[in-house]
Amino acid sequence: MTNGSTQNRTELWIWGGAGILITLWALRPIWDMDIWWHIALGRLIAENGLPDTDPLSLGREGVAWATFQGGYEWTMAFIEEVWGLVGVRWIHALAIGSGMALFGFSVARSTGSRIIAFAAILLLLFLYEDRIRVRPHVFHFLAMSWMLTCLSRTHFQWNYRDLFHIIPVMFIWSTFHGPAS
């Protein structure tokens, strides 16, 4: 085993462990009532496709409208149907834990310091804590962290090979939380 692969395995354990701990911490009850709207709209999208008017509002029937997170709504309806609300909670907690782990990994890679990376995660958890809930924006944070991880590679270049990983993430991100992407 080479020193480089030992280092990679160590980093995987450190940031994977941090992600698991943060996932368990982020696994909290659903208190944001908007999830019911998202799930209901997701069911309608699954049955009829993307609507061009808001099918769930009263008094605005027929007014042009577009959802900017149809992928999120469809996915949450699917997860709720298959795994129930427990699955919806777990998916959001995993998005937070994974996003924080990727963020820590990219900060450690950029600065060369795990201490700075853990301090950055703690600061981010403190600043972001009120946003850790069952909402589409948690996937925005996961996508941003993935992008930072891609861009923090030592020999990153703006070429097809290095950008290949970013394009699918941008596409999925735009369907989960369009304005943020």
Side-chain angles (χ1 to χ4, degrees):
M1 186 179 301
T2 66
N3 190 22
S5 64
T6 303
Q7 178 69 19
N8 290 340
R9 187 169 288 157
T10 300
E11 294 301 310
L12 178 67
W13 278 104
I14 288 170
W15 300 112
I20 289 168
L21 290 174
I22 294 168
T23 296
L24 294 173
W25 175 79
L27 189 62
R28 31 184 89 180
I30 297 173
W31 59 271
D32 196 319
M33 295 174 36
D34 283 356
I35 191 62
W36 302 112
W37 183 87
H38 291 296
I39 290 171
L41 186 56
R43 289 177 184 154
L44 291 172
I45 290 170
E47 294 170 8
N48 306 313
L50 289 170
D52 55 5
T53 62
D54 186 349
L56 300 176
S57 67
L58 296 173
R60 293 188 46 85
E61 297 85 10
V63 175
W65 173 83
T67 180
F68 56 86
Q69 51 208 16
Y72 172 81
E73 288 146 351
W74 179 87
T75 302
M76 290 308 110
F78 174 78
I79 289 169
E80 192 272 335
E81 183 178 323
V82 175
W83 293 301
L85 290 176
V86 171
V88 171
R89 287 176 56 209
W90 270 100
I91 291 296
H92 286 80
L94 283 166
I96 289 294
S98 301
M100 290 290 175
L102 285 170
F103 176 76
F105 174 75
S106 65
V107 171
R109 183 164 37 182
S110 297
T111 64
S113 171
R114 290 185 195 134
I115 293 172
I116 292 173
F118 278 112
I121 286 176
L122 290 174
L123 178 63
L124 192 58
L125 284 171
F126 174 75
L127 295 173
Y128 198 66
E129 198 276 332
D130 71 319
R131 307 299 299 163
I132 297 174
R133 50 190 168 158
V134 177
R135 298 281 295 157
H137 63 263
V138 300
F139 295 94
H140 164 73
F141 180 72
L142 176 59
M144 282 295 299
S145 295
W146 176 257
M147 301 262 305
L148 284 172
T149 301
C150 291
L151 296 172
S152 70
R153 287 198 326 264
T154 307
H155 301 292
F156 178 82
Q157 297 176 5
W158 291 95
N159 60 29
Y160 174 76
R161 195 176 116 210
D162 286 348
L163 293 174
F164 177 76
H165 303 285
I166 295 173
I167 294 167
V169 171
M170 291 290 292
F171 175 75
I172 294 167
W173 181 8
S174 69
T175 68
F176 267 59
H177 205 244
S181 64

